[in-house]
Amino acid sequence: MNQLSPVPHLTTALQGPLRQLETTMLEKQDHIEAWFREQWAAIPPPFYASVDLRNAGFKVAPVDTNLFPAGFNNLNPDFHALAVQAMQLALERVCPTARKILLVPEKHTRNRFYLENVATLRDFIEQAGYQVRVGAVSSEITDRQVEELPSGRELVLEPIRRDGDKLTLDDGFTPCAVLLNNDLSGGVPAVLKDIEHQIVPPLSLGWDNRLKSDHFQVYGEVAREFADVLDIDPWLVDPLFRNCGEINFKTREGEDCLARNVAALLLDIKAKYDEYGIDAKPYCVVKADAGTYGMGIMTVDSPEAVQSLNRKQRKGMASRKEGGEVSQVIIQEGVPTLEQLNGATAEPVVYMVDRFVIGGFYRVHGAKGAEDNLNAPGASFERLAFAESCNTPHQELAPDAEPNRFYAYGVIARLALIAAAREIQSTKA
């Protein structure tokens, strides 16, 4: 077995509400799992997802849900068999008779860490019993290209061709289904439009179309339903948020609207802090309403902070992945992460395939604080045995012991997965 990191130390004494929440989850595990089964009987889960969580000591909540997750190479290999089994079930749900899968990655083929993620996904699919090829949508790849990866593996990237409404590779390989690991921040590539193959996740869930504010609106509904099951305050698992209309950070259009919403959200957070006796200063995270990779994010603790951005800060907020411009933002309750690994700030990330938790890791950053965005250059990843402990809590151990805290993380991540499933359902309506 690989050496696994311990549960990060909580640097706060404000553990009353969270410890009670974890205790309630253990006591009502049968109710929780029955409720999840009811949800999945009513609606199919997304193909896969990753969820960034923040544990503040007084609440634990998702802060981002990615439906085109990278980072599978950071999962603990001792639990890859569970990922392969989940992959089999997910692919059977997509197409019961499928044999050939085309895996379509992001365009940035020079990022070796990302390509390790693609190779890991390819391995999962192959071990699940499918033929899989990696088809590139990058204009830089016009012929078969072999990439040597730091792990010692090879990854073959091949240009995708069109044959009418079908996709094919140069040797005639035609897939039964297409698995996207491309979040479509730059829009849907022309080669993927109007094809007969089933594509998962659906093209409609790309960041050219999907909004985080929509997701967290649905998540709030899920959190309230879940809170009714446990008889708890939904705020303990749900980050408050607001959003406003169009904004242009370069010209400062929409700045007043943003400042007003920041002020209102700070008051809402302060009211909850007062209710629970939390002696901390509320803050908000303002981030692009679409996109990933930690771009277009800032932390503010007053409306004046929004209005006093310097030119460099406004330029940073105006850009997102693949050169896109930020025109909408979500203003989210700042949930500090008060966990540390070896003195460095840490936050958990949970991975799921179909409805199953298959693993996770801690994102760790030694140069960032409890309120900062950790998805930034300099972050490292510590593998954890999420796959085992997220599903099997130990009733005889303390609520915040290793397997039990991870069970709580798995529960919150699955709440976000249900919200994503409802998003997908709404795009099909």
Side-chain angles (χ1 to χ4, degrees), residues 178-327:
V178 176
L179 174 58
L180 282 182
N181 197 243
N182 182 320
D183 65 20
L184 308 177
S185 290
V188 178
V191 73
L192 298 181
K193 294 180 178 178
D194 303 318
I195 59 174
E196 70 166 21
H197 313 280
Q198 184 166 354
I199 300 178
V200 290
L203 296 174
S204 59
L205 294 178
W207 283 127
D208 63 322
N209 186 59
R210 182 175 177 240
L211 295 177
K212 295 178 183 181
S213 54
D214 289 342
H215 172 76
F216 281 100
Q217 182 70 40
V218 179
Y219 179 83
E221 298 168 2
V222 173
R224 288 190 290 274
E225 294 173 24
F226 178 74
D228 287 341
V229 174
L230 267 62
D231 192 24
I232 61 170
D233 181 353
W235 178 75
L236 295 174
V237 297
D238 183 19
L240 304 176
F241 80 95
R242 284 175 170 261
N243 65 332
C244 53
E246 295 283 316
I247 187 165
N248 187 317
F249 284 98
K250 292 180 180 178
T251 65
R252 310 188 78 156
E253 270 184 88
E255 191 176 87
D256 289 343
C257 173
L258 177 57
R260 286 195 301 271
N261 277 276
V262 165
L265 184 57
L266 287 171
L267 287 175
D268 291 341
I269 301 169
K270 182 64 165 58
K272 298 303 294 187
Y273 280 18
D274 290 346
E275 179 182 344
Y276 284 94
I278 296 166
D279 184 18
K281 186 175 184 179
Y283 73 99
C284 299
V285 177
V286 179
K287 52 189 174 182
D289 209 359
T292 184
Y293 284 85
M295 300 177 69
I297 298 178
M298 66 178 178
T299 298
V300 296
D301 59 10
S302 70
E304 291 75 24
V306 172
Q307 297 167 319
S308 61
L309 295 178
N310 60 38
R311 184 176 179 181
K312 182 179 179 180
Q313 290 170 320
R314 284 189 281 112
K315 182 179 179 181
M317 283 300 298
S319 300
R320 63 186 181 96
K321 184 181 165 188
E322 294 197 30
E325 289 194 359
V326 174
S327 60

Side-chain angles (χ1 to χ4, degrees), residues 19 22 62 87 98 135 170 184 234 237 253 275 288 325 390 408 418:
R19 188 177 178 87
E22 292 174 328
M87 187 67 70
D170 285 343
L184 308 177
V237 297
E253 270 184 88
E275 179 182 344
E325 289 194 359
C390 271
I418 290 172

Side-chain angles (χ1 to χ4, degrees), residues 137-159:
V137 293
S138 172
S139 59
E140 298 176 2
I141 298 178
T142 57
D143 294 301
R144 187 175 184 271
Q145 182 172 308
V146 180
E147 298 286 343
E148 301 286 343
L149 302 181
S151 63
R153 293 180 292 182
E154 285 187 349
L155 183 68
V156 179
L157 302 172
E158 303 178 71

